[in-house]
Amino acid sequence: MPARWLMPLAFLLLFPHLKPEYFTQFSMLNTAFTAARVLSFCALLFLCIYVRRRLSWMTAAVFFYLGWLSWSTLHNALPLSAVFATVVSTASMALLIDCFADDLPALIDAAMLLMELLHYGNIVTMLVFPDGLYQTMTTGNNWLLGYA
């Protein structure tokens, strides 16, 4: 894959997994981010298996752990939706690190850019809405990234 595509690709694959807490207030955005997480996971799985043609033993260990977590949830008669987001995001992070193992600077640059944008967005919401974007019973004032 050309090096100039690595950072934007990593950014797009990482973005759904770092959802701002404010977006959970809107069911349509929350559903869109969940769908984007699943698409990101599928794209990463495709990249690792069909493009790179390998998975590291560490990624396999993470998948084993996530399978155990899912089995334990089902065994205790709990809904799988309780751990779905955790399983998909954790598996995606393992695949992302595995897929970009040879190009970690691109992955780190994408993660830094995304976190910087989220941080600046949170600062702007704190300045524009000093009393918070929304209120909750437990934490009071919340901004883009949640409670500050």
Side-chain angles (χ1 to χ4, degrees):
M1 186 176 302
R4 63 189 167 125
W5 291 100
L6 290 176
M7 192 219 176
L9 179 64
F11 183 88
L12 288 174
L13 292 172
L14 184 62
F15 180 69
H17 302 286
L18 297 176
K19 175 179 63 172
E21 190 62 29
Y22 179 61
F23 291 173
T24 60
Q25 301 297 311
F26 307 102
S27 63
M28 192 165 84
L29 272 176
N30 203 17
T31 304
F33 263 89
T34 302
R37 281 180 179 173
V38 172
L39 287 174
S40 172
F41 172 76
C42 292
L44 284 164
L45 197 60
F46 174 79
L47 281 173
C48 282
I49 293 176
Y50 292 109
V51 174
R52 295 199 67 214
R53 301 204 183 273
R54 68 175 174 88
L55 285 176
S56 70
W57 66 270
M58 187 63 85
T59 303
V62 168
F63 273 52
F64 176 76
Y65 165 73
L66 294 174
W68 183 266
L69 179 68
S70 300
W71 177 83
S72 175
T73 302
L74 290 173
H75 179 72
N76 290 311
L78 297 171
L80 197 55
S81 61
V83 296
F84 178 75
T86 302
V87 167
V88 169
S89 286
T90 305
S92 295
M93 291 301 114
L95 286 170
L96 192 63
I97 292 169
D98 199 9
C99 285
F100 285 85
D102 299 331
D103 306 300
L104 280 179
L107 177 59
I108 292 169
D109 287 345
M112 285 177 51
L113 176 64
L114 179 57
M115 289 179 199
E116 191 173 331
L117 290 172
L118 289 172
H119 182 74
Y120 289 142
N122 198 46
I123 289 173
V124 167
T125 60
M126 289 175 124
L127 293 173
V128 174
F129 303 101
D131 293 328
L133 281 171
Y134 62 99
Q135 307 258 331
T136 60
M137 298 286 289
T138 56
T139 58
N141 297 341
N142 291 274
W143 289 273
L144 181 66
L145 297 179
Y147 179 70

